[in-house]
Amino acid sequence: MTVRAIRGATQLECDDREHLFERTAELVREVLDANGLGTDALISILFTCTPDLRSDFPATAAREMGMGDVPLMCAVEIDVPTALPRVVRLMAHAELDVPRSQVRHVYLHGATVLRRDLAQ
């Protein structure tokens, strides 16, 4: 099986723990669904948040989805003044036996502007 990296991002309306969990769970589900994956195919997920999101960790939302055995990590994005605000990004590493060109990256809500070429 080949290891592939899958990118994704979503934008939040506000920095609220429940909203962060909803949007993070939606993003993770969409990444898995778009690539036909179950959680057993995941190797790890790295989450990043823009500095304006501090209500909780996106990894906590993933753990609440049942991903307690998947290595998860969170980091803060570089604080670029012109960056899109309130964004959670992820890079999931998964066993995915398709060519790199067939990996489906997922950009939701306001984050679609980050990669219009990849947004669904």
Side-chain angles (χ1 to χ4, degrees):
M1 194 56 85
T2 304
V3 175
R4 297 288 183 211
I6 307 166
R7 290 293 318 267
T10 189
Q11 187 178 38
L12 281 64
E13 302 300 321
C14 60
D15 184 25
D16 171 78
R17 183 179 191 268
E18 184 175 320
H19 186 54
L20 174 76
F21 279 29
E22 288 170 3
R23 290 283 170 98
T24 300
E26 176 189 33
L27 178 61
V28 171
R29 280 192 305 273
E30 290 289 329
V31 164
L32 293 175
D33 290 349
N35 289 284
L37 296 173
T39 58
D40 57 322
L42 292 173
I43 295 167
S44 64
I45 302 176
L46 171 64
F47 293 96
T48 65
C49 290
T50 50
D52 52 2
L53 294 177
R54 297 182 297 249
S55 59
D56 211 324
F57 299 101
T60 304
R63 282 189 201 95
E64 285 192 1
M65 295 175 67
M67 296 187 190
D69 61 344
V70 177
L72 306 169
M73 186 174 200
C74 296
V76 178
E77 286 283 335
I78 298 168
D79 193 10
V80 176
T82 58
L84 190 65
R86 300 176 315 279
V87 174
V88 174
R89 291 174 173 87
L90 70 71
M91 182 164 24
H93 298 94
E95 295 176 344
L96 184 59
D97 202 15
V98 299
R100 190 178 302 171
S101 62
Q102 291 181 18
V103 173
R104 300 291 314 262
H105 306 282
V106 177
Y107 291 81
L108 303 173
H109 305 287
T112 58
V113 301
L114 298 172
R115 291 295 305 262
R116 287 193 168 112
D117 59 321
L118 299 176
Q120 295 183 25

